[in-house]
Amino acid sequence: MQLRLYLAENAHKKAMQLALEMITFEQTENDPLIREYVYPLVIEHYLQYEDYEKVVELQRQVIQSYQHNNLLQQMNDMEILQQKYELREQMNVDDLTGAYMRSFMIDVFQEMFAENEWYQLYMFDLDDFKLINDRYGHLVGDQALIQTVEAAKQYFEKQSAIITRFGGDEFIVIVKNDYAIETNAQAFWEHMAKQTINEGRIHLRYSIGAVLIANRQPLDVAIELADQLLYTVKETGKGYLQYKIID
């Protein structure tokens, strides 16, 4: 930049004249180099002639320029973070169903929940999933798994939830709320009980174990308790739910 050469050569008058030309004829208020070199010289010029209105206006432009560039930087930072988060999600989502992978669930849980915050955890699976695979083939079995996650996402759409494929046909949903689990669990089970695949010819059935628990307990404790409830449902006929509140 010619202006910096003038300043380096102590050609102050030439630098001042060039700065005045630049500020007059160019839309340069958002250029950091202009802020650093041009504005100080132009402000000095108007101070010499006691044109304080011009000084105030230039100072306002400098402030706006800094605010604009800071805002742009914040937007760029947010966009980069969003891209990183989306990439991280893509790398940790089950290819078949679109649910989170089991290994990623803990990280998401730690980000979402503060200590002592209450949450609901649902563990559920497809009843007689092996029978579906054996009778209709694995492609239909895959369709059943995909529909399971789609149905869970649909139900929890308006709740802050982590939906995870825990293994095989077993899934976990962690929900960020502390209202009546009996109402939520019952409504969730009823929603899942309506699911069909293969153009309605196959009716899907689910067993569910659910707990309402505070985050002072380790996550694996909540999973173990929900698993015990799920096992009880399986042992007593399948196709329903059990829930429990853990203080």
Side-chain angles (χ1 to χ4, degrees):
M1 181 190 276
Q2 186 66 42
L3 181 62
R4 280 186 286 185
L5 291 176
Y6 285 151
L7 291 171
E9 295 169 357
N10 291 318
H12 192 75
K13 288 185 178 179
K14 289 183 178 181
M16 181 78 76
Q17 183 59 40
L18 181 57
L20 284 166
E21 292 174 1
M22 293 176 71
I23 205 74
T24 302
F25 296 109
E26 295 185 23
Q27 299 296 320
T28 54
E29 63 269 18
N30 292 320
D31 187 334
L33 294 176
I34 301 302
R35 290 200 310 265
E36 185 176 353
Y37 295 104
V38 175
Y39 276 120
L41 287 170
V42 177
I43 288 172
E44 179 185 343
H45 169 81
Y46 286 119
L47 282 172
Q48 287 176 357
Y49 290 94
E50 297 185 354
D51 190 344
Y52 298 115
E53 288 186 5
K54 287 281 190 180
V55 171
V56 170
E57 175 60 22
L58 285 166
Q59 289 175 334
R60 184 189 63 79
Q61 291 180 20
V62 172
I63 292 170
Q64 285 184 339
S65 176
Y66 274 108
Q67 291 174 338
H68 174 79
N69 280 275
N70 286 340
L71 179 60
L72 286 179
Q73 184 60 50
Q74 290 172 15
M75 291 172 65
N76 288 336
D77 290 345
M78 289 173 63
E79 185 176 351
I80 290 169
L81 286 172
Q82 181 66 22
Q83 290 172 352
K84 287 181 178 178
Y85 186 77
E86 289 175 356
L87 179 61
R88 193 181 92 177
E89 280 198 324
Q90 291 170 8
M91 293 173 62
N92 290 280
V93 167
D94 177 52
D95 289 336
L96 176 64
T97 64
Y100 282 125
M101 293 181 183
R102 178 176 179 172
S103 58
F104 191 55
M105 176 180 63
I106 296 173
D107 291 339
V108 179
F109 176 83
Q110 290 174 341
E111 290 175 5
M112 281 182 62
F113 294 93
E115 188 175 357
N116 289 327
E117 188 172 13
W118 286 80
Y119 64 94
Q120 297 177 13
L121 187 145
Y122 298 81
M123 178 176 280
F124 61 100
D125 68 6
L126 268 161
D127 292 330
D128 303 317
F129 179 62
K130 185 178 183 303
L131 184 61
I132 293 174
N133 276 328
D134 292 344
R135 181 176 296 176
Y136 301 101
H138 288 280
L139 289 179
V140 175
D142 287 349
Q143 186 184 350
L145 296 174
I146 293 168
Q147 181 60 32
T148 296
V149 173
E150 287 299 315
K153 286 181 176 179
Q154 184 182 38
Y155 179 79
F156 290 109
E157 181 181 10
K158 296 182 180 180
Q159 302 181 49
S160 185
I162 307 167
I163 300 173
T164 303
R165 187 178 181 185
F166 199 63
D169 65 318
E170 195 168 56
F171 298 87
I172 285 179
V173 178
I174 303 174
V175 187
K176 192 171 186 176
N177 63 50
D178 59 358
Y179 55 81
I181 189 171
E182 59 272 18
T183 303
N184 209 25
Q186 181 67 29
F188 175 52
W189 176 81
E190 290 175 358
H191 173 78
M192 298 303 289
K194 298 174 183 176
Q195 304 308 312
T196 63
I197 57 170
N198 206 15
E199 298 181 348
R201 289 190 290 269
I202 302 174
H203 192 93
L204 302 179
R205 297 173 70 241
Y206 298 90
S207 297
I208 303 173
V211 293
L212 173 63
I213 190 170
N215 193 19
R216 56 179 172 269
Q217 299 275 9
L219 178 60
D220 57 0
V221 170
I223 294 173
E224 182 179 354
L225 291 169
D227 190 32
Q228 291 172 3
L229 292 169
L230 176 60
Y231 179 79
T232 301
V233 173
K234 290 289 190 182
E235 287 294 297
T236 55
K238 304 180 182 178
Y240 198 59
L241 71 94
Q242 284 203 9
Y243 59 84
K244 190 174 184 179
I245 299 172
I246 311 297
D247 293 327

